Amino acid sequence: MRNSELAQVLRAANPWWSRRRRASWVLDDADLATRARHEWQPATQAARSLLADLAAGPRPGTVTVVAGPRGVGKTTAVKDVVAHLVADPRTDPRRVVLVPVQRTEPDGTVAQWEPADLSTTVRTPTRTGAPACDDPRVLVLDEVGTVAGWPQVAAHAFHRGDQVVVTTSVLDPADLAALEQEVPAATVRRLHPASMSEVLLAQPGGGTQDVRSAYLRHGGLPRALAEHRDLGDVGDELVRWLAAGLHHDVCRGEGGCPTELLLAALCATTDRFVEPQQLARALRLSTAEVARLLARLEQAHLLDPRRGLVDPLLHRLPSLLAPDRYAAPSAQHIATFSH
């Protein structure tokens, strides 16, 4: 993108730079509004507790990676941090720069910035629309894990004295190693879907069997829990959004890689362990291609090769996306092969 285009995106993503919007932006922010419609309060509290020190004030010269699967609430959690920072009269709101590395297109697909765009924005922020300021910046790089070279970009900002907060659904071990080589004190904080025991604790009046049955349908993602409570099941919008994000994380824009087929094949071929050879036959891919997809599933926090998919909703996703092609797996299967 040209610098003028990057500036337009940044201005839209950082309304607190405007004096008129500094206090009101939280009222119409899309992510915060979505959470307000269907909020699972224990997840909100857990995320705020995890990032409480970041919300207390700028921490120049630090790098924090917030990792976790799609839909677990990373973007909303860092926007809570931003809301606290820009509301504090001691913090110049112009210091806080949220970089929306990914965006959902009108057709539902996920697009992301090119490495050069990310580098330009972080290395020369005023050229891409960020207002000038005297203090070190707070840079929030949202959903950056599939952009090549992001650890080096984050390290550059760290060495300049900025505070860097990274969110990612994909955490490649090689990227983490590259970051830690440049910034040994970088910390990784992880958000997880709720387990069934956590859901039971949050619903002390519910019967154990009823909670278990519901959990095996909706899983532990915050919005899925809230939509099941409010609507009786997970909504179509969440299913489509989740599928588009998972496709981007696992397939990286490659053709011939429908997410629902991959998940359905995993369910159909998994026995005690995930067997790459059986999965390769089901998908008509080579074992090397399957091994790469399995590695990406792990990096996207979706799969434990020894224990299965990390969240029950992933088992149902193919049948929710294409009920005419995929039958929903049994509750027993989901219970057996969920992490």
Side-chain angles (χ1 to χ4, degrees), residues 22-73:
R22 285 180 188 178
S24 64
W25 71 272
V26 295
L27 300 177
D28 53 18
D29 179 84
D31 294 302
L32 298 179
T34 296
R35 183 182 63 185
R37 286 198 304 272
H38 300 291
E39 181 175 16
W40 184 253
Q41 190 63 38
T44 301
Q45 293 171 348
R48 286 174 175 167
S49 176
L50 184 71
L51 304 182
D53 59 328
L54 304 185
R59 304 174 69 226
T62 62
V63 177
T64 305
V65 178
V66 182
R70 287 274 172 177
V72 82

Side-chain angles (χ1 to χ4, degrees), residues 2-314:
R2 295 189 300 247
N3 285 357
S4 59
E5 294 173 311
L6 292 172
Q8 184 176 6
V9 173
L10 285 179
R11 282 196 296 270
N14 294 264
W16 48 87
W17 293 343
S18 163
R19 291 182 182 275
R20 187 168 51 86
R21 298 293 312 283
R22 285 180 188 178
S24 64
W25 71 272
V26 295
L27 300 177
D28 53 18
D29 179 84
D31 294 302
L32 298 179
T34 296
R35 183 182 63 185
R37 286 198 304 272
H38 300 291
E39 181 175 16
W40 184 253
Q41 190 63 38
T44 301
Q45 293 171 348
R48 286 174 175 167
S49 176
L50 184 71
L51 304 182
D53 59 328
L54 304 185
R59 304 174 69 226
T62 62
V63 177
T64 305
V65 178
V66 182
R70 287 274 172 177
V72 82
K74 302 180 298 298
T75 297
T76 311
V78 295
K79 284 189 173 181
D80 278 339
V81 170
V82 168
H84 279 84
L85 293 176
V86 301
D88 188 336
R90 296 170 297 180
T91 302
D92 183 350
R94 296 173 299 177
R95 296 176 61 182
V96 182
V97 180
L98 172 65
V99 182
V101 178
Q102 290 186 8
R103 63 190 181 279
T104 302
E105 301 286 19
D107 63 359
T109 59
V110 176
Q112 72 176 18
W113 289 19
E114 295 295 326
D117 296 332
L118 178 65
S119 180
T120 299
T121 300
V122 172
R123 293 173 186 270
T124 55
T126 54
R127 288 187 183 180
T128 52
C133 63
D134 297 327
D135 297 314
R137 296 186 187 275
V138 179
L139 291 171
V140 182
L141 311 182
D142 187 35
E143 205 58 77
V144 77
T146 54
V147 178
W150 73 261
Q152 290 74 26
V153 174
H156 174 86
F158 162 79
H159 291 304
R160 191 173 59 202
D162 293 336
Q163 176 183 355
V164 183
V165 180
V166 170
T167 78
T168 180
S169 298
V170 176
L171 189 55
D172 188 321
D175 284 338
L176 182 57
L179 178 65
E180 291 176 336
Q181 183 175 4
E182 293 275 354
V183 188
T187 61
V188 179
R189 306 185 190 185
R190 300 180 188 273
L191 289 173
H192 303 279
S195 66
M196 192 178 77
S197 60
E198 291 170 328
V199 176
L200 277 168
L201 288 173
Q203 297 177 306
T208 301
Q209 289 303 316
D210 290 340
V211 172
R212 179 181 183 275
S213 177
Y215 180 77
L216 292 176
R217 286 183 58 81
H218 57 57
L221 295 177
R223 184 172 162 190
L225 282 161
E227 287 192 357
H228 190 274
R229 177 198 63 204
D230 300 340
L231 307 175
D233 206 346
V234 178
D236 292 341
E237 180 186 359
L238 173 57
V239 170
R240 291 192 299 269
W241 175 86
L242 183 60
L246 298 185
H247 183 271
H248 180 84
D249 294 343
V250 177
C251 301
R252 314 285 173 87
E254 298 172 3
C257 178
T259 310
E260 65 270 19
L261 180 59
L262 176 59
L263 295 178
L266 272 169
C267 284
T269 62
T270 295
D271 191 2
R272 289 187 61 195
F273 303 101
V274 175
E275 298 289 351
Q277 293 82 3
Q278 294 183 38
L279 191 56
R281 285 194 294 270
L283 294 172
R284 298 181 180 180
L285 298 173
S286 69
T287 53
E289 290 171 317
V290 166
R292 186 170 67 252
L293 289 175
L294 291 176
R296 290 178 179 175
L297 283 167
E298 288 187 73
Q299 293 165 12
H301 310 95
L302 303 176
L303 176 70
D304 180 336
R306 294 175 297 178
R307 300 184 61 186
L309 296 170
V310 299
D311 189 74
L313 184 58
L314 298 174

